[in-house]
Amino acid sequence: LLGPLMAQAFGGKSSPTLRSLLAGRPATIVRPGTNCREAGMIMSDARKAALVVEDGRLVGIVSFKDMMSRAIAKELPLELSDVTTIMTPNPESVSPDTTVLEALQIMHDNKFLTLPVCESNGSVVGIVDVMDLVYGSGGTDGWRSIFDSAMDVADDLSDASSVHSFRSAARSTRSARSTTSASKAKSKSKDERPVSKLRPKKPLISSAGDSVLAVAQMLANKRGDAALITSAAGGVAGILSDTDITRRVVAKHLDPSSTGVSSVMTPNPTCVSMSDSAMDALATMVENRFRHLPVVDDSGAVVGLLDIGKCLDDAITKLERAQEKSSSAAEDAVKQMANVQGAGNAQAAALQQLLGPLMAQAFGGKSSPTLRSLLAGRPATIVRPGTNCREAGMIMSDARKAALVVEDGRLVGIVSFKDM
């Protein structure tokens, strides 16, 4: 599914493997018996989830969300709590020879945000997260291909649905002109698609006066991983994520119950509005390694939160659904068009919309070949009025084609095998 979209980003080469992505990066490994404070400090230094390894084998994983929800929110004594009490046991892992694109698909299919990487003998290589894969997806061209294509197919499916709804009633030239105009307008506004197209999730909001413990417990109860901190005026004062809690509270030996959220949050975060460019918002997240980006309205009030993991998951889901719908719709369209003698402009436009994306890969990104190139060097099976049926049949037999009846250089009839 993703391969054709990324081929250009990788310069025609295959997608890199996780082995190459992790080369030179130390694995964030802890062992049973390590306490939660020590694990948090290791995670903080590496900015990665911790892999719990015993006798060389992976037995668990501790994410930043685990640290927040299972340790901080439950007020565990961090120095006295074994990391095994908060880990997710026996996590799935992948081979280091898994490609970045395969890893993206695995993360999407299983709703993972992190993915342990182990050799076939069980030895631990490291861990990748969603941002690693976004960065490993062929650079800027790669991640833009995924998100841009996802928004394209969403638009295309919407347009195809519109074409289907008026197909039986709107067969006029005017309808074809309208479809063409709409297509040009869509192309022109491609880079102006708003943040709302990315479907920001509902924000989880806390006050600047809350404690870290209160925010962690709120996030744990609502299964969130980041809270937007608002000022008394209702604007965005800051953001606090599960990663921030590990790095700025756990690793710094601060007491969550007596530490105000305003002292450890990221203050005055970059924000976007619903009407801002979606691609610009994604570029801001990727280029600055922001996993979250607050969304505000024109008055500055918080209305949503972009999560790069959710955006990526939604993008792949859209591509999958588009593939399924396009395949089904194309089959229906072909059946319908096969029953039409001389398809009209509106119908041809509809078929072009439905089949075009499916054939792009087959033609290597180039336009569909013309019938001129298809017929080059092939003699036409032409007969003239006065030719008897036996002779026409022999010509048809040799060419394995229907015969075209031509008079004075003009086509006046056709004789198919069924006619004969």
Side-chain angles (χ1 to χ4, degrees), residues 105-133:
Q105 193 70 53
I106 291 168
M107 277 194 170
H108 166 69
D109 292 344
N110 296 280
K111 307 299 181 187
F112 294 155
L113 291 174
T114 54
L115 204 54
V117 182
C118 299
E119 297 283 8
S120 57
N121 63 6
S123 61
V124 176
V125 176
I127 188 169
V128 292
D129 57 33
V130 66
M131 290 302 289
D132 293 325
L133 298 187

Side-chain angles (χ1 to χ4, degrees), residues 131 134 143-144 146-148 151 195 198 272 277-288 290 293 306-308 311-312:
M131 290 302 289
V134 169
W143 66 260
R144 278 185 178 272
I146 295 176
F147 290 115
D148 208 28
M151 286 188 281
V195 165
L198 298 174
V272 293
S277 163
M279 294 307 292
D280 286 350
L282 289 167
T284 297
M285 297 176 80
V286 174
E287 290 165 10
N288 294 281
F290 295 160
L293 196 62
L306 287 177
D307 181 321
I308 193 69
C311 289
L312 185 60

Side-chain angles (χ1 to χ4, degrees), residues 186-205:
K186 184 185 74 174
S187 177
K188 183 178 179 181
S189 64
K190 183 176 180 178
D191 294 329
E192 300 169 6
R193 288 170 299 203
V195 165
S196 57
K197 283 273 187 180
L198 298 174
R199 297 171 57 236
K201 63 184 181 181
K202 183 179 179 181
L204 299 176
I205 297 174

Side-chain angles (χ1 to χ4, degrees), residues 136 239 249 327 357 359:
I239 184 171
V249 180
S327 296
M359 305 303 290

Side-chain angles (χ1 to χ4, degrees), residues 10-343:
F10 293 125
K13 300 176 183 177
S14 59
S15 169
T17 64
L18 300 187
R19 189 185 300 280
S20 64
L21 209 62
L22 291 171
R25 298 187 190 181
T28 48
I29 292 175
V30 298
R31 288 169 176 77
T34 303
N35 67 49
C36 292
R37 178 81 68 190
E38 292 172 327
M41 293 171 70
I42 291 171
M43 294 164 63
S44 173
D45 288 341
R47 298 195 178 193
K48 293 288 180 187
L51 299 173
V52 185
V53 177
E54 185 173 24
D55 298 329
R57 304 288 178 176
L58 180 67
V59 296
I61 184 173
V62 179
S63 68
F64 291 101
K65 192 171 184 180
D66 294 332
M67 184 66 74
M68 178 191 73
S69 301
R70 299 174 182 175
I72 298 300
K74 292 186 177 179
E75 301 184 75
L76 294 184
L78 300 183
E79 284 84 0
L80 302 177
S81 301
D82 193 298
V83 71
T84 57
T85 62
I86 65 168
M87 73 179 187
T88 298
N90 305 314
E92 290 188 38
S93 63
V94 295
S95 162
D97 297 319
T98 301
T99 68
V100 168
L101 296 187
E102 289 169 341
L104 277 173
Q105 193 70 53
I106 291 168
M107 277 194 170
H108 166 69
D109 292 344
N110 296 280
K111 307 299 181 187
F112 294 155
L113 291 174
T114 54
L115 204 54
V117 182
C118 299
E119 297 283 8
S120 57
N121 63 6
S123 61
V124 176
V125 176
I127 188 169
V128 292
D129 57 33
V130 66
M131 290 302 289
D132 293 325
L133 298 187
V134 169
Y135 269 88
S137 299
T140 301
D141 288 342
W143 66 260
R144 278 185 178 272
S145 293
I146 295 176
F147 290 115
D148 208 28
S149 296
M151 286 188 281
D152 276 349
V153 296
D155 292 342
D156 288 343
L157 286 175
S158 176
D159 291 344
S161 177
S162 298
V163 170
H164 177 76
S165 66
F166 68 62
R167 184 180 296 145
S168 58
R171 300 176 182 270
S172 66
T173 304
R174 184 178 63 183
S175 296
R177 280 200 303 267
S178 299
T179 302
T180 302
S181 299
S183 178
K184 288 180 179 177
K186 184 185 74 174
S187 177
K188 183 178 179 181
S189 64
K190 183 176 180 178
D191 294 329
E192 300 169 6
R193 288 170 299 203
V195 165
S196 57
K197 283 273 187 180
L198 298 174
R199 297 171 57 236
K201 63 184 181 181
K202 183 179 179 181
L204 299 176
I205 297 174
S206 291
S207 166
D210 290 339
S211 69
V212 171
L213 176 61
V215 174
Q217 290 175 335
M218 181 273 290
L219 289 173
N221 288 336
K222 296 187 176 180
R223 298 184 179 182
D225 49 31
L228 293 182
I229 313 302
T230 57
S231 63
V236 179
I239 184 171
L240 185 72
S241 68
D242 49 8
T243 304
D244 296 331
I245 290 175
T246 297
R247 293 183 56 232
R248 299 172 186 170
V249 180
V250 175
K252 300 297 183 183
H253 295 257
L254 297 181
D255 179 359
S257 63
S258 60
T259 301
V261 70
S262 58
S263 65
V264 294
M265 69 184 183
T266 299
N268 305 313
T270 301
C271 298
V272 293
S273 74
M274 281 288 198
S275 58
D276 283 343
S277 163
M279 294 307 292
D280 286 350
L282 289 167
T284 297
M285 297 176 80
V286 174
E287 290 165 10
N288 294 281
R289 294 193 77 94
F290 295 160
R291 188 180 151 198
H292 303 98
L293 196 62
V295 182
V296 298
D297 62 17
D298 292 339
S299 67
V302 179
V303 293
L305 183 68
L306 287 177
D307 181 321
I308 193 69
K310 179 181 179 296
C311 289
L312 185 60
D313 186 65
D314 286 350
I316 296 175
T317 296
K318 285 178 182 177
L319 292 172
E320 288 177 333
R321 289 176 179 170
Q323 187 180 48
E324 293 168 2
K325 289 182 180 179
S326 293
S327 296
S328 175
E331 185 178 349
D332 291 343
V334 170
K335 288 178 181 177
Q336 179 179 349
M337 297 299 283
N339 293 324
V340 178
Q341 183 72 26

